[in-house]
Amino acid sequence: MQLDLVGKRALVTGSSSGIGRMIALHLAAEGVEVIVHGRDAARTLRTAEEIRATGGVSSEVMGDLMDGDAAKAVVDQVLAQGGVDILVNNAGGRYGGWARSGWLGTSDENWIATYKQNVISTVTLIDGLVPVMIQRGWGRVVQIASAVALHQPPNFPDYQAAKAAEINLSRSLSRGMAGTGVTSNAISAGIIHTPGSDAEIAGIAQEAGLGTNWRDHEREIALKIFRQTAGRIGRAEDIAAAVCFLASPRADFISGINLVVDGGM
């Protein structure tokens, strides 16, 4: 399918590695000029150079989006380049890391900081960049949420709630932009293998008595442990493909949805 994305400009937050990096590469392959964002200068530059090495157009912008002033500086830099047609809010995570904790072990600090890391940073970018899209009469906003916002396992409650808020704000934003030509959608990602999640998946396999080389048992892990209907673990490419479609003119009639990409979990 021809997605008609050539000549569009996109900002993908958190695109120096992982899912964000793959989203940036896929959009660039569709002819999008991609602004790569990150906090680590070397990794951010590496992704941008990877795009340019394959004939794509890319630039870099740095900033810790949890810092309000830094987030606004990112907005100012993007606006100085003419703004964007596509905003992919991929940056996020859990404050303090991924050590397992239940409801009673999650501090107030974690609740507040995780919400800020996932939601407030997203709102800052929307407030700063969407008005230009509305003026032009066309734009796409895509939030990368998580399937844990829907399944609610008994871990990471602060992260689950923050991702649920992202889904909620994405739907509300779609109605707030009614008739403008700008759409807003969320993607809830399931278990996705990236270099950053490799150790966690290996640990889950080991706990299940399957050894540390989870790839030898990927189908069993997907179907029996993660209870998916797809017999493999997700890849960053799966999320990137969904983003490319929702970001394209082909998705003009889709707004306010939460697209669940979780292998049928």
Side-chain angles (χ1 to χ4, degrees), residues 193-260:
H193 174 252
T194 65
S197 66
D198 192 77
E200 182 181 1
I201 296 173
I204 291 170
Q206 191 169 22
E207 286 179 9
L210 299 174
T212 56
N213 189 356
W214 62 265
R215 290 173 180 79
D216 291 341
H217 306 278
E218 181 173 359
R219 181 176 175 82
E220 183 178 357
I221 292 168
L223 296 175
K224 295 184 179 180
I225 297 178
F226 295 151
R227 297 183 180 180
Q228 297 177 179
T229 56
R232 67 170 176 86
I233 293 171
R235 305 289 192 264
E237 291 90 333
D238 298 318
I239 306 303
V243 169
C244 286
F245 174 66
L246 290 178
S248 77
R250 301 293 185 180
D252 272 342
F253 201 57
I254 301 173
S255 193
I257 71 160
N258 176 40
L259 178 61
V260 183

Side-chain angles (χ1 to χ4, degrees), residues 51-114:
I51 290 171
R52 292 192 284 266
T54 55
V57 180
S58 183
S59 58
E60 313 89 54
V61 62
M62 303 292 301
D64 183 352
L65 299 181
M66 278 194 70
D67 181 317
D69 290 337
K72 289 175 182 176
V74 168
V75 169
D76 289 342
Q77 290 178 67
V78 172
L79 290 176
Q81 296 184 44
V84 289
D85 307 293
I86 300 160
L87 170 61
V88 182
N89 285 310
N90 167 75
R94 183 171 188 252
Y95 179 76
W98 296 100
R100 295 187 188 183
S101 65
W103 264 90
L104 301 181
T106 303
S107 68
D108 291 350
E109 181 185 19
N110 262 79
W111 280 96
I112 294 168
T114 299

